[in-house]
């Protein structure tokens, strides 16, 4: 699923915005997107920004990541967020991307992310959340 998501962002311009098991088919080791009802097409400029976020996160470039995120969000309105908490959340959420043998069957990642996500929501404010 991560590979498919990254292909959507890095190769295509169509992104599935309603990711759940009913929208995918798994057959013979391959994953197929079967429901395009909640797919959105993004302009190249926006996709380039999101690609940049993923690359900066993957490479551990916190300062560049935060600067790019600021450029994206400030276009939508004022916001306040704890940068340390956000970076910790993002790094943890991206940890499967950095692992060649990440095991989704044994991971506790969702349990580890939930308290950070709750803290982010409670300690952040965004005037107009970006729809994207």
């Amino acid at each position: 699923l991560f590979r498919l998501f990254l292909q959507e962002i890095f190769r295509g311009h169509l992104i599935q915005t309603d990711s759940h098991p009913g929208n995918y088919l798994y057959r013979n080791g391959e994953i197929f997107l079967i429901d395009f009802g909640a797919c959105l097409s993004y302009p190249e400029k926006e996709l380039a920004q999101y690609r940049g976020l993923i690359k900066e996160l993957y490479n551990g470039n916190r300062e560049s990541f935060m600067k790019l995120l600021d450029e994206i969000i400030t276009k939508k309105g004022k916001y306040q967020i704890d940068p340390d908490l956000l970076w910790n959340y993002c790094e943890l959420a991206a940890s499967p991307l950095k692992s060649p043998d990440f095991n989704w069957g044994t991971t506790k990642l969702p349990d580890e992310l939930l308290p950070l996500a709750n803290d982010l929501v409670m300690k952040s404010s965004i005037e107009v959340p970006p729809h994207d």
Side-chain angles (χ1 to χ4, degrees), residues 1-4 9 12 15 28 40 45-47 63 77 86 88 95 101 106 111 114-115 127:
L1 289 173
F2 259 133
R3 189 178 306 120
L4 177 60
I9 289 182
I15 298 173
N28 299 326
L40 294 178
K45 184 178 179 180
E46 284 185 36
L47 282 175
E63 187 176 319
L86 176 64
N88 291 341
S95 61
D101 57 355
T106 61
D111 296 329
L114 187 58
E127 185 177 73

Side-chain angles (χ1 to χ4, degrees), residues 14-35:
L14 196 65
I15 298 173
Q16 170 58 270
T17 62
D18 186 23
S19 298
H20 65 78
N23 284 342
Y24 299 94
L25 175 65
Y26 182 79
R27 183 175 50 200
N28 299 326
E30 293 185 276
I31 297 174
F32 301 90
L33 178 58
I34 58 173
D35 182 353

Side-chain angles (χ1 to χ4, degrees), residues 36-88:
F36 294 91
C39 289
L40 294 178
S41 179
Y42 286 87
E44 179 57 35
K45 184 178 179 180
E46 284 185 36
L47 282 175
Q49 289 178 314
Y50 291 118
R51 288 179 195 128
L53 281 176
I54 292 168
K55 289 175 185 177
E56 298 302 337
L57 178 60
Y58 182 83
N59 291 320
N61 298 327
R62 177 185 164 146
E63 187 176 319
S64 301
F65 176 87
M66 293 298 184
K67 182 179 178 191
L68 185 52
L69 184 66
D70 185 64
E71 290 172 15
I72 293 169
I73 296 178
T74 54
K75 288 186 239 174
K76 311 293 183 178
K78 297 176 186 174
Y79 76 98
Q80 181 179 349
I81 197 161
D82 179 329
D84 294 326
L85 186 57
L86 176 64
W87 182 251
N88 291 341

Side-chain angles (χ1 to χ4, degrees), residues 116-127:
L116 290 174
N118 288 335
D119 282 350
L120 269 172
V121 169
M122 297 307 292
K123 295 178 181 177
S124 302
S125 67
I126 300 175
E127 185 177 73

